[in-house]
Amino acid sequence: MNEKNIIFTVNPGGALHGELRVPGDKSISHRSIMLGSLAEGVTEVTGFLEGEDALATLQAFRDMGVNIEGPDNGRVVIHGVGMHGLQEPKGPMNMGNSGTSMRLLCGLLAGQAFNTTLTGDRSLSSRPMRRVTEPLAEMGAVIGTTEAGTAPLNICGDQPLRGIAFDMPVASAQVKSCLLLAGLYAAGRTCVTEPAPTRDHTERMLQGFGYSVERVSLENNCATACVEGGGKLTATNVEVPADISSAAFFMVGASISEGSDILLQHVGINPTRIGVINILRQMGADITLSNQREVGGEPVADIRVRSAPLKGIQIPEDQVPLAIDEFPVLFVAAACAEGETVLTGAKELRVKESDRIQVMADGLQTLGVDARPTEDGMVIQDGGAGSTLGSGQVESHDDHRIAMAFAMAGLRASGPIIINNCANVNTSFPGFVTLAHGAGLNIKA
Ligand code: S3P
């Protein structure tokens, strides 16, 4: 965790304009380092997210002896060591705030010949890890956690793994990816079935690196993904699109501030990630996609967002996993919408970088919004068309997405919003303040 208390001060009003390119996709950046490191040959990554989370993954592979050049303006060159070329790190590897690093690496490391320990910051050390350690144990892995099932994770090497067929109780791409990565090292076949669609970047990228992944479509857009252990990865180049989760702040900001018109360039629109577009459109947002193309196995588009009056909705539960990281800012949209917005089926929000249901409800209440947290979601009442939010001091609880969500709230506030503990914005969105300020948000750090 970042020790320094960075405070955002957002003065009210303004509108968003211009053409923006937000930083690279976090999920894809993590995976590019992992697969590039295990591949045979040299992988060049462009558009890599130089945020602390993806850098934690990068550092872990350097600690395991992989020669990685950069990052230099989003360019990373990875000299792959092959499936069995990683070396024992000198000490524990610190994953910082990054759940993706810890959970995916846990699976990958369970298949190595050496022991490793993964640690994290205070937030990461309180997040549930049994969701990965238990199915990994079924595969034969030996992993120690605290009594609470949290990090540090002590992963014993040299354990023979066997493939399993696992029905995930929670819709989690991190769990799915963890098991597929362990499955690369397991005897036989590892299959993971999701209860609701989850992001499929691991499956796509494995295929991009020449590893066969069998995917069977099920009802409700869900899938089973299977890999056969013992294969190899072949280096390829990865072009990382801009992160739709980062673009989401600007989509909401432009929607709620009158007179806004922005173009978000080269944004990843993988169908497992576009819940934020679907939900905002259902609320009445004016969002158009252009220049749709495929880049390195991932769909990409430019996204134009113009301000529009939003209305409250019952958020369809099937959209929840597709927008799981965007709810902090979607709550801000709901607070600016006419009518009631109800979210259910989103209990996972309570175990993200912070308890995003409670923390957002607290902050919105500080701003005078009628936001009632429920066990698995939130009810946000009529802000009234064109109404403003209040002002005040809110707490981000070191959660990057909470900080950026409340920053966007400033566009519709009646007075300044002061947001505490914003240093972790650097985990996913380095340069946020400069980019947002340039687009018209009255923000300073
Ligand atoms: C991620 C999966 C999601 C998401 C996280 C990134 C990934 O987590 O919230 O920010 O890269 O696989 P869960 O798998 O826990 O839903």
Side-chain angles (χ1 to χ4, degrees):
M1 187 186 50
N2 291 285
E3 297 300 328
K4 206 162 160 238
N5 180 13
I6 305 260
I7 296 173
F8 288 174
T9 303
V10 189
N11 281 318
L16 300 182
H17 288 283
E19 299 193 0
L20 313 177
R21 180 153 175 170
V22 301
D25 188 276
K26 186 152 73 73
S27 295
I28 297 175
S29 294
H30 282 297
R31 288 156 171 84
S32 70
I33 298 291
M34 294 178 190
L35 301 193
S37 293
L38 296 177
E40 289 173 16
V42 178
T43 290
E44 182 182 326
V45 184
T46 51
F48 180 78
L49 169 65
E50 297 184 34
E52 289 165 9
D53 278 12
L55 292 173
T57 293
L58 189 152
Q59 186 56 45
F61 282 89
R62 277 196 179 134
D63 290 349
M64 291 187 286
V66 183
N67 175 10
I68 305 177
E69 297 170 54
D72 180 9
N73 246 321
R75 182 172 177 270
V76 178
V77 177
I78 308 163
H79 298 263
V81 296
M83 293 301 290
H84 299 283
L86 296 177
Q87 292 160 24
E88 182 163 2
K90 291 204 170 60
M93 297 191 285
N94 188 349
M95 302 296 110
N97 193 243
S98 175
T100 308
S101 307
M102 184 169 278
R103 295 205 179 103
L104 269 59
L105 269 177
C106 182
L108 196 156
L109 294 172
Q112 304 304 315
F114 48 83
N115 299 339
T116 38
T117 298
L118 299 180
T119 62
D121 71 7
R122 193 175 49 190
S123 155
L124 183 54
S125 303
S126 67
R127 294 179 66 185
M129 292 298 149
R130 286 203 181 108
R131 56 179 60 195
V132 288
T133 58
E134 285 179 355
L136 285 172
E138 266 182 60
M139 295 177 76
V142 178
I143 301 170
T145 66
T146 66
E147 252 175 50
T150 53
L153 303 181
N154 292 305
I155 304 160
C156 296
D158 226 4
Q159 307 294 321
L161 301 183
R162 54 189 173 273
I164 56 168
F166 186 66
D167 274 328
M168 285 193 293
V170 284
S172 166
Q174 291 181 353
V175 174
K176 174 178 66 174
S177 303
C178 163
L179 300 179
L180 292 177
L181 292 172
L184 305 183
Y185 291 93
R189 198 172 155 78
T190 299
C191 292
V192 187
T193 301
E194 56 193 11
T198 62
R199 64 192 70 191
D200 64 355
H201 305 300
T202 302
E203 298 91 306
R204 286 174 187 253
M205 203 183 287
L206 278 170
Q207 287 168 322
F209 277 83
Y211 208 105
S212 163
V213 181
E214 195 196 329
R215 302 166 79 180
V216 180
S217 300
L218 308 168
E219 284 168 14
N220 306 328
N221 296 323
C222 295
T224 298
C226 302
V227 292
E228 196 76 42
K232 66 170 193 157
L233 298 165
T234 306
T236 184
N237 293 338
V238 180
E239 194 183 326
V240 182
D243 197 329
I244 190 168
S245 297
S246 297
F249 299 103
F250 291 89
M251 289 184 207
V252 170
S255 296
I256 64 174
S257 52
E258 213 181 325
S260 290
D261 185 353
I262 53 163
L263 187 76
L264 296 154
Q265 296 164 330
H266 205 76
V267 181
I269 52 158
N270 181 309
T272 59
R273 297 285 298 281
I274 55 168
V276 63
I277 296 177
N278 300 337
I279 292 168
L280 283 173
R281 277 185 171 156
Q282 210 178 321
M283 295 175 79
D286 180 354
I287 301 175
T288 47
L289 271 50
S290 61
N291 199 9
Q292 294 198 33
R293 56 222 183 259
E294 180 131 339
V295 175
E298 291 279 351
V300 168
D302 297 334
I303 303 179
R304 184 174 184 189
V305 187
R306 282 172 282 192
S307 52
L310 300 182
K311 57 180 194 300
I313 58 164
Q314 166 86 47
I315 296 173
E317 284 200 9
D318 65 358
Q319 294 299 311
V320 170
L322 312 184
I324 194 67
D325 291 336
E326 285 65 78
F327 283 103
V329 80
L330 283 169
F331 293 145
V332 171
C336 298
E338 187 179 1
E340 182 181 77
T341 297
V342 181
L343 172 68
T344 54
K347 210 170 167 187
E348 274 294 298
L349 294 180
R350 292 202 178 269
V351 291
K352 292 294 178 188
E353 286 83 328
S354 69
D355 175 344
R356 287 181 173 163
I357 293 177
Q358 193 59 49
V359 170
M360 282 305 298
D362 290 347
L364 287 171
Q365 285 165 13
T366 301
L367 302 181
V369 177
D370 179 358
R372 268 178 296 123
T374 60
E375 200 199 339
D376 67 342
M378 182 117 67
V379 180
I380 298 179
Q381 288 297 339
D382 201 352
S387 71
T388 56
L389 308 173
S391 67
Q393 200 170 124
V394 297
E395 182 51 59
S396 81
H397 288 273
D398 296 308
D399 184 332
H400 54 138
R401 301 203 197 279
I402 303 284
M404 291 185 275
F406 281 120
M408 288 299 165
L411 290 160
R412 274 282 280 272
S414 57
I417 298 179
I418 295 169
I419 311 157
N420 262 322
N421 290 310
C422 299
N424 275 349
V425 164
N426 281 332
T427 61
S428 69
F429 203 146
F432 170 73
V433 170
T434 308
L435 198 70
H437 186 264
L441 183 69
N442 299 316
I443 183 170
K444 59 176 195 284

